[in-house]
Amino acid sequence: MGEVVILAERRRRCRAVYFGRGELQLLLRLFSRHVESGEWLDYSIDNNERAAVFCVYRRAHDAPLYEIHKIASHSHHRGHFLVITSGAILKRSGRLDSALRMFDAPLRAVP
């Protein structure tokens, strides 16, 4: 016979980290801008009890160009958001919009 599972207890034990609606809007806005310019083609989202990860790809079968991590608040990391490429941390911030500023186009001098 089946086992009785108390959902409230299970939810307390299995707290996964997710991107909120506003965070997803920021991530997808950034992604669509880079798709439009032809830089990125695909993305993936993963999550577990320690972090949520948004990865972007140049081609669907490649390794991710960038990984944007949302770290659980009970973690010992300084920032809650990390931008990583090839295993190296490029940006660490307590706010997603601040972490994503590294993707803004650099200013250019106008002749």
Side-chain angles (χ1 to χ4, degrees), residues 12-106:
R12 274 192 291 267
R13 283 185 285 148
C14 301
R15 297 255 179 197
V17 179
Y18 295 97
F19 289 109
R21 173 181 264 174
E23 294 164 345
L24 279 175
Q25 286 176 337
L26 287 172
L27 291 167
L28 293 174
R29 189 176 304 133
L30 173 71
F31 177 74
S32 64
R33 227 180 357 171
H34 285 270
V35 167
E36 185 178 352
S37 67
E39 297 174 48
W40 299 348
L41 175 69
D42 203 3
Y43 74 92
S44 66
I45 300 175
D46 191 14
N47 68 317
N48 59 36
E49 65 277 352
R50 292 180 304 191
V53 184
F54 184 89
C55 298
V56 294
Y57 304 86
R58 186 172 310 243
R59 289 179 292 275
H61 63 283
D62 287 348
L65 289 175
Y66 297 99
E67 301 173 21
I68 301 161
H69 293 247
K70 178 179 181 179
I71 307 296
S73 60
H74 62 291
S75 175
H76 298 292
H77 290 278
R78 251 186 8 197
H80 295 320
F81 294 94
L82 304 174
V83 178
I84 298 174
T85 185
S86 302
I89 297 174
L90 297 178
K91 182 79 173 180
R92 184 184 310 244
S93 177
R95 295 179 33 175
L96 180 60
D97 58 345
S98 175
L100 296 182
R101 280 195 198 111
M102 67 164 284
F103 293 105
D104 289 346

Side-chain angles (χ1 to χ4, degrees), residues 104-111:
D104 289 346
L107 298 175
R108 290 181 266 162
V110 178

